[in-house]
């Protein structure tokens, strides 16, 4: 067996899952399933939210260690499922090593949804959250407009190079100012608080908070604490941006 290719394949599966928002314990389990097929004396995996370390060693071979840094993270449950499925098939010998490596490369590069589809999802998320929270149809429509502004802001921000907290805070501020301006212009009775909440809801780090709890319950306190901190910082950036937007609106209008 090509042990170097085995480690590369295992780490690639872990990269896909970690970049797609998987819990660290699940990533470690998937990588371990690959490495166990080597049948060597030592197969160790260490995963945190920003990196992966995998090692194979045995008296018969020179130790192999691969370290990968994870710089981007989003939420893609489909990629998590497919990478885990490749691991399962390889472990059960339903798929060869070369085939597994090729399939993982395809999964990593695949674009499941177009930018347009993602933007439509943001618009509908904003609109229906407002409806869910008790807003009227008019509130829902205004939230959809706020979602459109958010989608444009996120797209432009990523193209410029803004990331993380700065991107969330800036877009939260823009959405709040835009909604307040629209509510002031439209001659209808609207609930601006619900419209603002719906407009910024697509940025709320719900998955990050869930994964933080699950990692902590699994005993992975380092990753759990890191995810809690990340989620809290994102939430703080969104709240700060909203406060700045309201302050700017009151100072200008």
């Amino acid at each position: 067996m090509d042990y170097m290719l085995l480690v590369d394949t295992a780490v690639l599966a872990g990269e896909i899952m970690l970049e797609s928002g998987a819990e660290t314990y699940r990533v470690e389990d998937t990588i371990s399933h690959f490495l166990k097929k080597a049948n060597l004396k030592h197969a160790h995996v260490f995963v945190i939210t920003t990196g992966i370390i995998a090692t194979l060693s045995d008296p018969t071979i020179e130790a192999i260690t691969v370290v990968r840094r994870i710089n981007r993270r989003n939420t893609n449950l489909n990629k998590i499922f497919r990478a885990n499925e490749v691991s399962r098939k390889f472990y059960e010998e339903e798929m060869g090593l070369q085939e597994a490596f090729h399939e993982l490369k395809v999964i990593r590069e695949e674009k499941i949804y177009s930018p347009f589809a993602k933007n439509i999802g943001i618009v509908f998320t904003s609109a229906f959250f407002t409806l869910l929270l008790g807003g009227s149809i008019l509130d829902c429509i205004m939230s959809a407009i706020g979602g459109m502004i958010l989608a444009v802001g996120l797209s432009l921000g990523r193209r410029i190079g803004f990331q993380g907290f700065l991107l969330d805070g800036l877009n939260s501020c823009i959405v709040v100012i835009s909604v307040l301006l629209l509510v002031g212009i439209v001659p209808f009775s609207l609930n601006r608080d619900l419209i603002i909440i719906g407009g910024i809801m697509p940025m709320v780090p719900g998955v990050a908070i869930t994964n933080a709890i699950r990692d902590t319950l699994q005993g992975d306190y380092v990753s759990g604490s890191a995810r809690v901190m990340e989620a809290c910082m994102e939430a703080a950036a969104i709240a700060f941006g909203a406060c700045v937007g309201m302050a700017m609106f009151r100072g200008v209008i």
Side-chain angles (χ1 to χ4, degrees):
M1 179 179 287
D2 187 341
Y3 296 123
M4 191 67 228
L5 179 60
L6 176 65
V7 177
D8 283 339
T9 303
V11 173
L12 178 58
E15 282 184 275
I16 294 170
M17 296 180 69
L18 204 55
E19 289 174 353
S20 300
E23 307 92 324
T24 52
Y25 76 87
R26 191 185 302 277
V27 176
E28 287 184 348
D29 183 66
T30 297
I31 296 175
S32 295
H33 271 75
F34 274 102
L35 299 183
K36 285 176 183 177
K37 295 299 292 183
N39 294 318
L40 297 179
K41 187 174 182 179
H42 298 291
H44 301 294
V45 184
F46 178 70
V47 177
I48 56 175
T49 55
T50 56
I52 299 173
I53 303 174
T55 298
L56 271 182
S57 63
D58 193 85
T60 61
I61 66 167
E62 187 175 346
I64 301 171
T65 300
V66 173
V67 180
R68 295 284 167 80
R69 170 79 175 177
I70 305 300
N71 295 314
R72 58 180 183 180
R73 288 185 297 280
N74 52 42
T75 302
N76 193 321
L77 300 182
N78 183 66
K79 285 191 175 184
I80 295 173
F81 168 77
R82 292 177 62 190
N84 191 64
E85 186 72 3
V86 170
S87 170
R88 184 192 64 79
K89 288 183 177 180
F90 176 74
Y91 187 76
E92 296 177 357
E93 299 183 354
E94 297 177 13
M95 180 182 289
L97 181 57
Q98 289 283 357
E99 185 182 358
F101 184 69
H102 175 73
E103 182 67 20
L104 289 170
K105 288 177 67 177
V106 170
I107 293 171
R108 184 172 193 181
E109 299 301 325
E110 186 178 35
K111 303 295 183 184
I112 299 175
Y113 302 108
S114 66
F116 177 75
K118 291 179 180 178
N119 290 337
I120 290 296
I122 290 174
V123 172
F124 278 98
T125 299
S126 297
F128 288 117
F129 256 113
T130 299
L131 204 61
L132 181 67
L133 293 170
S136 65
I137 295 299
L138 287 175
D139 294 335
C140 179
I141 294 172
M142 295 298 291
S143 283
I145 296 174
M148 292 172 61
I149 295 169
L150 175 61
V152 172
L154 289 172
S155 298
L156 291 177
R158 292 190 182 108
R159 288 183 183 179
I160 294 171
F162 292 156
Q163 295 291 335
F165 313 129
L166 180 60
L167 183 63
D168 290 340
L170 183 60
N171 279 290
S172 178
C173 180
I174 292 171
V175 169
V176 168
I177 293 175
S178 301
V179 168
L180 291 175
L181 285 172
L182 289 170
V183 170
I185 294 171
V186 175
F188 301 110
S189 177
L190 298 169
N191 190 325
R192 67 179 188 178
D193 292 337
L194 291 183
I195 296 171
I196 290 173
I197 292 170
I200 64 177
M201 190 60 73
M203 294 187 293
V204 174
V207 175
I209 295 172
T210 302
N211 286 347
I213 295 171
R214 296 187 69 174
D215 280 335
T216 302
L217 292 176
Q218 288 288 328
D220 196 343
Y221 302 116
V222 174
S223 293
S225 300
R227 288 186 187 273
V228 167
M229 181 63 70
E230 180 182 20
C232 289
M233 289 297 292
E234 287 182 6
I238 295 168
F240 179 74
C243 290
V244 170
M246 290 180 181
M248 290 176 66
F249 179 81
R250 289 172 181 171
V252 172
I253 302 302

